[in-house]
Amino acid sequence: MLDYIVWAADPDIISSPITIRWYGLMFAIGFILGYNIVAKMFKHEGAPEKWLGTLLGWTIAGTLVGARLGHVFFYEWEQYSQNPISILYIWEGGLASHGGAIGVILGVLMFSWLTSKRSPLWTFDRLVVPIALVGGLIRLGNLFNSEIFGHATDLPWGFMFVNSREWHVLYEGQACHPTQIYEALCYFALFAVLMWMYWKKNAERRPGLIFGVFFIGIFVPRLLIEYVKNDQVAWEAGMVLNMGQWLSIPFILAGVFFIVRAMVRPPVHIDFPNRFADA
């Protein structure tokens, strides 16, 4: 059995004449698969096909803007406040998943108010299914970037992230927890559970149930994995719970609320014409 794994993957798939990175590819694959999964759900329930493009636009915008602003305000506002224009330099890195979650929530609210005219829970119960898949793929992108890894470990699946400057500074010669893989596996498992709930158990008949399970399935693992993950910024070092953990708690409580709310209310009737509604 290996004592550790040397991880030296190149983050670039193509570096010339243009740069294509694994992270970007994972992101793109996630959104393409997610679009098709939601399209099947919309067709299954007879929702208008023309809603798909609008929802995709709000989801992408909410994810990118929310993730960037989440990092800026939750983690490094003091730095960005000195040079606000640098907030736009997204290619330099700096995204926060909690901010992305908030951004998607706001995007869905706008879609629901302006386009579908339905309860936001109707959209959330369908959209969060592929979002779990996207989350897992993005964490694989983090793995290829040799970023967001954990503390040193002597477990046989520890990774030496030899392409990471942070690893050389903090852990030279030591293997570390591949927390990207931990999170990716949790999110892929959650995706399977949510697909089973929707397609096999008709959980969408209880508005908010899938949404609540999603919150629990995303943020409980995130809270626990943070214990072996490096702090995102230096000032977190003295905290009992780091910023990622504190930000996870409201989402977990919201998940419990939506699950209880869904289970105490009677299921709703949904017709399944298995075709898109007429435009």
Side-chain angles (χ1 to χ4, degrees):
M1 184 177 292
L2 294 175
D3 292 330
Y4 55 83
I5 298 167
V6 176
W7 183 253
D10 189 339
D12 296 340
I13 305 173
I14 300 173
S15 56
S16 180
I18 61 173
T19 299
I20 299 178
R21 299 175 69 91
W22 285 104
Y23 183 90
L25 178 63
M26 294 296 103
F27 210 101
I29 290 174
F31 274 101
I32 291 170
L33 293 177
Y35 180 90
N36 283 281
I37 290 169
V38 174
K40 289 182 179 180
M41 292 176 170
F42 276 27
K43 184 175 182 179
H44 178 56
E45 297 186 37
E49 185 177 12
K50 64 182 180 180
W51 287 0
L52 288 167
T54 305
L55 179 58
L56 178 65
W58 280 115
T59 302
I60 292 176
T63 300
L64 294 177
V65 175
R68 181 58 170 172
L69 293 181
H71 177 79
V72 169
F73 291 115
F74 296 150
Y75 292 99
E76 297 194 81
W77 172 242
E78 184 174 351
Q79 173 185 328
Y80 286 103
S81 64
Q82 303 303 313
N83 183 26
I85 191 65
S86 65
I87 295 174
L88 302 178
Y89 301 164
I90 193 170
W91 56 88
E92 294 182 353
L95 300 174
S97 57
H98 294 89
I102 294 172
V104 170
I105 289 172
L106 294 177
V108 168
L109 292 177
M110 296 301 294
F111 168 80
S112 300
W113 293 334
L114 300 177
T115 302
S116 72
K117 310 298 183 182
R118 297 190 181 189
S119 165
L121 286 179
W122 181 87
T123 307
F124 283 129
D125 279 340
R126 288 137 189 89
L127 184 61
V128 297
V129 177
I131 285 179
L133 174 64
V134 174
L137 290 171
I138 289 175
R139 282 296 179 251
L140 293 184
N142 295 136
L143 177 65
F144 278 100
N145 283 347
S146 295
E147 61 189 3
I148 316 182
F149 52 87
H151 304 157
T153 179
D154 57 3
L155 293 171
W157 56 80
F159 276 46
M160 288 192 176
F161 293 96
V162 296
N163 288 340
S164 166
R165 181 181 302 177
E166 181 184 9
W167 179 82
H168 284 289
V169 171
L170 298 177
Y171 300 110
E172 181 75 47
Q174 296 178 282
C176 295
H177 285 284
T179 50
Q180 316 96 323
I181 296 178
Y182 300 169
E183 289 192 57
L185 291 176
C186 291
Y187 300 162
F188 290 146
L190 175 63
F191 168 67
V193 169
L194 297 181
M195 287 286 282
W196 173 77
M197 290 178 64
Y198 181 88
W199 291 106
K200 297 298 184 180
K201 305 303 291 184
N202 290 332
E204 72 279 11
R205 293 183 185 271
R206 294 187 177 275
L209 178 59
I210 293 176
F211 189 38
V213 172
F214 169 81
F215 272 166
I216 299 294
I218 286 286
F219 292 104
V220 167
R222 176 67 187 272
L223 186 148
L224 297 176
I225 293 171
E226 287 289 330
Y227 282 112
V228 296
K229 187 191 294 186
N230 291 324
D231 293 328
Q232 190 160 334
V233 289
W235 55 260
E236 293 181 283
M239 301 173 68
V240 176
L241 299 178
N242 65 24
M243 179 59 75
Q245 292 173 308
W246 282 115
L247 292 172
S248 295
I249 292 173
F251 287 104
I252 294 170
L253 295 176
V256 173
F257 168 79
F258 283 115
I259 291 172
V260 172
R261 178 184 182 275
M263 297 307 296
V264 300
R265 296 189 176 194
V268 301
H269 175 74
I270 301 177
D271 290 320
F272 298 106
N274 200 34
R275 64 175 179 81
F276 291 116
D278 296 331

